[in-house]
Amino acid sequence: MDDGMVVATHDVAHRFPGTDVLFEHLNITVRPGETVAVCGPSGCGKSTLLSILAGWEKPWHGTVERHGIGRIGWAFQNPYGVPERTALDHVVFPLLAKGMTRRAAEPQAMEALGLFDLEYAAGRRFADLSGGEAQRLMLARAVCARPDLLLVDEPTAQLDTRTVHSVSHVLGHLAGQGMIVMVATHDPDTRDACRRVIDLAEYAPRGEANA
Ligand SMILES: Nc1ncnc2c1ncn2[C@@H]1O[C@H](COP(=O)(O)OP(=O)(O)OP(=O)(O)O)[C@@H](O)[C@H]1O
Ligand SMILES: [Mg+2]
């Protein structure tokens, strides 16, 4: 990891063809060690902003700077997987894609499952996981290859309060190890556990600017 790592937006605004401008004049700079909650009402553009930060979506206006960021980990809002494959398979997969052997990948994958208290479910089929387990599996899969930038979309929608706290604690711990962690959420507990809050509602266009 690079100490000078940074993710920044410079006067970013976004709209999709056929939508109003979601947010504008967004200038943020995020460095390693930070956990940042991206908040705001449903539809305000939280998931879209994460895609823009990852480079998957090109902003309608402005630029995104990713300095020193190699690997990006992404935990999706809606858990998805291969029903017949085990939880462990899902976490091993990105490591195999990175060129590791299964033998080398498995302990690292188990460690990632362990971070989210999922070792017990390693051998279970994805189809048999509960909603909260599947959601934690997405987190384990996103962190297993030790990304520089971890983007997490609504990680706690299906979790109880105690699990929310432990997930938040793990995300803070990963940030402490030098990751940049950004979490889209409307859960107050998750938001409060982050060091910084970006409220996208503050960047919504006002009045006729959006007509
Ligand atoms: N590819 C697309 N084309 C057109 N509109 C889109 C596209 N992707 C998202 N949108 C719209 O842009 C808006 C922002 O979507 P986004 O998923 O970023 O919201 P969100 O803040 O993450 O909401 P939620 O809290 O419900 O997850 C929504 O109105 C959505 O329907
Ligand atoms: Mg979303």
Side-chain angles (χ1 to χ4, degrees):
M1 288 187 197
D2 172 349
D3 283 346
M5 219 163 67
V6 69
V7 180
T9 63
H10 301 291
D11 201 26
V12 161
H14 198 68
R15 79 191 309 168
F16 291 103
T19 68
D20 290 340
V21 173
L22 297 168
F23 48 80
E24 62 181 3
H25 305 309
L26 186 67
N27 289 291
I28 55 169
T29 301
V30 188
R31 297 181 195 282
E34 291 195 290
T35 46
V36 181
V38 177
C39 300
S42 179
C44 73
K46 298 180 295 298
S47 298
T48 302
L49 176 60
L50 295 192
S51 299
I52 289 173
L53 294 172
W56 292 352
E57 188 75 50
K58 189 178 169 319
W60 173 64
H61 181 273
T63 54
V64 177
E65 179 187 346
R66 274 179 298 271
H67 177 78
I69 306 284
R71 194 167 293 279
I72 297 177
W74 182 288
F76 292 93
Q77 180 163 7
N78 300 309
Y80 77 96
V82 184
E84 297 305 319
R85 292 292 194 148
T86 65
L88 180 62
D89 286 338
H90 285 78
V91 184
V92 157
F93 183 74
L95 300 174
L96 299 181
K98 202 178 128 180
M100 285 174 81
T101 62
R102 175 107 200 173
R103 200 188 160 100
E106 276 195 8
Q108 195 167 322
M110 283 305 287
E111 198 184 313
L113 287 169
L115 282 175
F116 299 100
D117 294 322
L118 270 180
E119 294 111 320
Y120 69 89
R124 287 191 196 159
R125 299 182 323 149
F126 182 80
D128 295 335
L129 298 179
S130 73
E133 287 169 342
Q135 202 152 36
R136 285 182 286 136
L137 178 63
M138 297 299 102
L139 288 161
R141 183 169 62 181
V143 307
C144 70
R146 306 196 177 122
D148 299 316
L149 173 62
L150 176 63
L151 299 168
V152 183
D153 203 353
E154 300 286 354
T156 48
Q158 305 193 51
L159 305 182
D160 57 72
T161 315
R162 197 171 64 84
T163 315
V164 166
H165 284 137
S166 70
V167 164
S168 301
H169 178 79
V170 173
L171 296 178
H173 171 73
L174 293 169
Q177 294 184 334
M179 266 184 211
I180 295 177
V181 180
M182 302 195 64
V183 187
T185 187
H186 33 225
D187 173 55
D189 287 336
T190 309
R191 183 192 60 212
D192 293 347
C194 289
R195 226 173 86 176
R196 226 174 113 186
V197 176
I198 293 167
D199 182 1
L200 271 190
E202 290 175 10
Y203 298 91
R206 288 166 215 284
E208 73 227 53
N210 208 22

